[in-house]
């Protein structure tokens, strides 16, 4: 740097010195040539000397200024070098910091992925447990409803809807039936020739309670209940044959029988059907089972429908219904199975008024039904509104205006109707949660709601298929 400054300073200084000497020599020559001219020439020389001195002063000042500028340039270059060194150091630090940040980010991402994997496993486990819980709740609900139905048929009411109360009521019913069975057995032993010929079969709730209690067990033990040629649907039952080591039932063409067996009643949703006839040849007991006959030829036995009377529900629409009756005498002999179709072997359909209501609701595209919603406990029902629209549905509690569920219709939505005379139905949403609902002691209103909701669901699914196509 000093050599460069010397090189820059050398030529410039020589040039300035030559310029000053030339001006001085010129002035000296002018002074020498004009010396003989006198005083006027002295004045002229004096002014020229002043100009030369001023010029020399200016040159000196410029030199000093140039020197100061060169010093400033040198200082600036030194500072620039220092800044460059600092820049390079900062860049190295920034690069190290960036690498450290990238490493931390990779560690954080790996940790987050591990956490997400763990949470996903937990969610899947929770979902599985929720589905298992839903299945258990549905089974408990159906089982409780069936038990309450049986207890109600025999006039034994639990004081509360709880496991202990229901168990106590079942124990009471069992004791009563056991005593009645023993009593009837004693009467049969003393009067073996007892017959009820030419007496019409009356509903089970008016028949002798002493023998009706064995109906369901006899059907189970003899393999008469189950699903034939198909799988079990929601409202059907599939019971395996009994493993009891007992002799097969005696079926005799001359044995017990029912004459003029028929079905009476209204074959519409909400209507009640009754299988009846005249017992002959010593018939003392009849076992009943209501069945569905599907369009593809399959036969499905309806769960819990083992009484002579049967309430038609929304699940029976577009299906044929029949009842099978097995007459038996007091000696355990079994007659031939008698089958009778309802509605002249035609499919069950809605009555004109119900069909008109359903068509009107579907045509409007929106309808609100007043229902009861079962809260956490069995004895707490809340007044609610079930709102149906083209795309979906929602359930809202009237008292709190809380929306329990609101979702679009999907294939995962199921609507179940419990067996027996009940106004309840259960919605199972796409998330697997169950929502028990009930109408105000109106079976017909329950069936209207179920059929309307299924129609909305079917139309929503058809619309989505058309959009995808």
């Amino acid at each position: 740097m000093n050599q460069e400054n010397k090189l820059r300073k050398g030529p410039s200084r020589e040039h300035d010195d030559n310029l000053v000497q030339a001006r001085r020599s010129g002035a000296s020559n002018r002074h020498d040539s004009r010396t003989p001219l006198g005083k006027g020439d002295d004045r002229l020389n004096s002014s020229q000397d002043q100009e030369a001195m001023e010029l020399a002063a200016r040159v000196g000042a410029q030199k000093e200024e140039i020197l100061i500028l060169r010093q400033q340039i040198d200082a600036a270059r030194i500072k620039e070098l220092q800044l460059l060194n600092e820049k390079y150091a900062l860049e190295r630090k920034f690069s190290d910091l960036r690498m450290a940040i990238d490493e931390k980010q990779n560690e954080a991402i790996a940790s987050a992925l591990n956490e997400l994997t763990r949470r996903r496993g937990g969610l899947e486990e929770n979902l599985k447990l929720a589905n298992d819980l839903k299945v258990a709740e549905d089974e408990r609900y159906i089982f409780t409803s069936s038990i309450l139905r049986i207890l109600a048929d025999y006039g034994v009411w639990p004081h509360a809807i709880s496991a202990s109360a229901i168990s106590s009521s079942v124990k009471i019913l069992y004791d009563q039936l056991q005593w009645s069975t023993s009593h009837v057995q004693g009467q049969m032993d003393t009067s073996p020739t007892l017959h009820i010929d030419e007496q019409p079969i009356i509903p089970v709730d008016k028949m002798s309670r002493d023998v009706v209690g064995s109906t369901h067990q006899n059907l189970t033990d003899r393999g008469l209940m189950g699903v034939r040629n198909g799988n079990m649907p929601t409202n059907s039952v599939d019971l395996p044959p009994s493993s009891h080591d007992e002799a097969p039932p005696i079926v005799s063409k001359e044995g017990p029988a029912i004459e003029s067996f028929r079905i009476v009643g209204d074959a519409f949703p909400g209507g009640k059907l009754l299988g009846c006839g005249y017992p002959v040849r010593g018939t003392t007991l009849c076992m009943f089972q209501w069945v569905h006959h599907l369009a593809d030829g399959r036969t499905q036995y309806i769960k819990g429908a083992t009484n002579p009377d049967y309430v038609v529900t929304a699940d029976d629409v577009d299906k044929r219904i029949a009842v099978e009756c097995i007459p038996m005498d007091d000696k355990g002999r079994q007659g031939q199975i008698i089958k009778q179709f309802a509605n002249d072997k035609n499919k069950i359909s809605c009555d004109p008024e119900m069909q008109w209501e359903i068509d009107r609701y579907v045509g409007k595209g929106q309808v609100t039904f007043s229902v009861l919603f079962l809260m956490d406990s069995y004895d707490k029902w809340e007044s609610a509104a079930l709102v149906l629209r083209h795309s979906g549905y929602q359930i809202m509690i009237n008292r709190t205006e809380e929306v329990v569920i609101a979702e679009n219709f999907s294939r995962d939505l199921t609507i179940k109707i419990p067996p027996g005379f009940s106004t309840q139905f259960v919605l199972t949403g796409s998330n697997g949660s169950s929502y028990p609902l009930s109408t105000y002691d109106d079976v017909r209103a329950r069936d209207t709601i179920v059929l309307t909701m299924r129609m909305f669901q079917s139309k929503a699914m058809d619309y989505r298929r058309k959009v995808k196509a």
Side-chain angles (χ1 to χ4, degrees), residues 164-188:
S164 59
I166 294 176
S167 300
S168 300
S169 300
V170 171
K171 180 65 168 60
I172 294 173
L173 178 60
Y174 173 77
D175 294 338
Q176 292 178 357
L177 293 178
Q178 190 176 26
W179 179 86
S180 299
T181 303
S182 301
H183 180 68
V184 171
Q185 186 66 36
Q187 291 181 350
M188 292 175 62

Side-chain angles (χ1 to χ4, degrees), residues 101-135:
I101 292 175
D102 291 341
E103 185 178 356
K104 292 294 184 182
Q105 286 180 346
N106 292 333
E107 293 177 357
I109 292 173
S111 177
L113 289 176
N114 293 334
E115 182 68 17
L116 286 176
T117 303
R118 187 184 64 81
R119 291 187 179 183
R120 181 180 179 181
L123 290 176
E124 291 177 353
E125 183 67 20
N126 291 339
L127 182 60
K128 182 178 179 298
L129 292 176
N131 292 333
D132 295 342
L133 179 61
K134 177 186 73 67
V135 173

